Amino acid sequence: MRVSYRWLQSFFSEPLPLPERLKEVLTMHSFEVESIEEFYSDAIFEIAIPPNRMHDCLSHAGIAREISILLRITPKESVYKVYRTEPIPFLLEVEDPMLCRRYIGRIVDSIEVKESPVWLKERLQSVGQKSINNVVDAANYVMWEMGQPLHVFDYDKLEKIGAQGVIRVRRAEEGEQVTTLDDREMTLTKDMLVIADAVSPLAIAGIKGGKKAEVTYETKKVLLEAANFSPAEIRRTSKKLQLRTD
């Protein structure tokens, strides 16, 4: 995993040890730092997170927690603004709760899709993530910071039942196809999990979004998804499709 030194520093008020020293501390006490790469005024660690620590350390926040314990320093208190509005209802069906332990979503209306600010572009670029637009970049930023992957669908592109959008977490039909965001045509099998609307797949669950509900500069309303999928199922699908993503 690529981890930004400057990003880690943002969790602490007091200065962290220099990158080489921090590499030594992490390698000797937690997990191996395989390399340090210079990136403008930043240092990027390539950290080998073992499988038994992925649930709590596959993020900048997770690494920062580890550092706070090892160095006995207190991280800054996280403060977030919460904008509360009346929720817009949509239909949600989870076909198999064993494959999707939790699925939550929220519709956000009247948005403006535009270019991301420079600081956000630079932060994502430092860990190898391409900037797309402010909405997609915000979702990717949360993933890299908190360890929770998010996905954003253009709500107006969803096939609806009546006036309500539909999200179905289901097995793919044998031979069903989806065009991914990078324009690759994927043929699915019935053992693969997809996120679909009332008619067809929108994304390969936990792996890659599809073009059908892609967020563009014309998007005005989005559905923001956060979910917990069976890791074994996602791993099998990723391997079968030869499709690996952040």
Side-chain angles (χ1 to χ4, degrees):
M1 175 186 173
R2 289 174 63 87
V3 176
S4 160
Y5 177 80
R6 290 179 63 187
W7 200 331
L8 290 175
Q9 180 63 73
S10 70
F11 288 91
F12 301 96
S13 298
E14 59 187 283
L16 291 173
L18 293 175
E20 284 293 343
R21 173 58 183 154
L22 191 57
K23 172 186 176 182
E24 181 183 346
V25 170
L26 287 170
T27 298
M28 295 304 294
H29 297 282
S30 297
F31 16 67
E32 183 182 1
V33 178
E34 297 177 333
S35 63
I36 301 178
E37 171 191 330
E38 288 188 14
F39 179 81
Y40 296 103
S41 58
D42 199 357
I44 308 302
F45 299 106
E46 187 67 52
I47 302 179
I49 310 294
N52 67 321
R53 297 302 308 276
M54 287 184 175
H55 67 286
D56 68 320
C57 284
L58 206 60
S59 65
H60 282 76
I63 301 296
R65 283 192 298 267
E66 193 77 6
I67 289 171
S68 73
I69 294 168
L70 295 175
L71 299 180
R72 298 182 181 179
I73 56 177
T74 304
K76 292 189 291 188
E77 182 179 355
S78 298
V79 179
Y80 301 100
K81 275 187 179 179
V82 179
Y83 296 90
R84 297 190 182 279
T85 58
E86 284 299 314
I88 301 171
F90 66 96
L91 299 175
L92 172 63
E93 299 175 10
V94 178
E95 185 181 89
D96 189 340
M98 294 298 292
L99 300 181
C100 178
R101 289 97 174 250
R102 191 174 192 216
Y103 190 103
I104 58 176
R106 180 85 175 201
I107 296 171
V108 185
D109 202 355
S110 303
I111 66 168
E112 181 184 1
V113 181
K114 55 186 179 181
E115 192 173 345
S116 291
V118 173
W119 72 266
L120 179 53
K121 287 183 178 181
E122 289 180 349
R123 191 156 280 193
L124 291 176
Q125 189 181 0
S126 72
V127 293
Q129 184 80 55
K130 180 183 176 183
S131 174
I132 306 296
N133 56 56
N134 59 334
V135 174
V136 174
D137 289 357
N140 285 332
Y141 179 86
V142 171
M143 176 181 70
W144 283 99
E145 174 151 304
M146 306 301 296
Q148 171 61 56
L150 303 175
H151 193 73
V152 188
F153 300 105
D154 185 324
Y155 180 78
D156 292 324
K157 295 177 182 176
L158 272 60
E159 302 286 349
K160 298 175 177 62
I161 295 180
Q164 285 190 320
V166 178
I167 290 291
R168 288 183 174 143
V169 187
R170 61 167 174 83
R171 295 276 194 181
E173 297 175 9
E174 190 68 31
E176 199 167 27
Q177 292 190 319
V178 59
T179 303
T180 59
L181 287 168
D182 54 357
D183 292 311
R184 296 170 65 184
E185 192 74 27
M186 294 290 172
T187 300
L188 310 175
T189 57
K190 61 183 179 181
D191 59 337
M192 296 176 180
L193 193 66
V194 298
I195 311 301
D197 59 17
V199 175
S200 58
L202 304 170
I204 305 169
I207 301 175
K208 191 76 174 177
K211 294 285 286 186
K212 181 175 181 178
E214 179 182 14
V215 172
T216 68
Y217 286 100
E218 287 72 46
T219 299
K220 298 301 179 186
K221 183 187 293 189
V222 298
L223 191 151
L224 177 64
E225 160 201 292
N228 185 310
F229 302 111
S230 165
E233 291 291 327
I234 300 307
R235 192 177 300 113
R236 276 194 287 269
T237 298
S238 175
K239 188 174 181 180
K240 197 167 185 179
L241 293 176
Q242 297 183 350
L243 181 60
R244 291 183 60 84
T245 64
D246 299 314

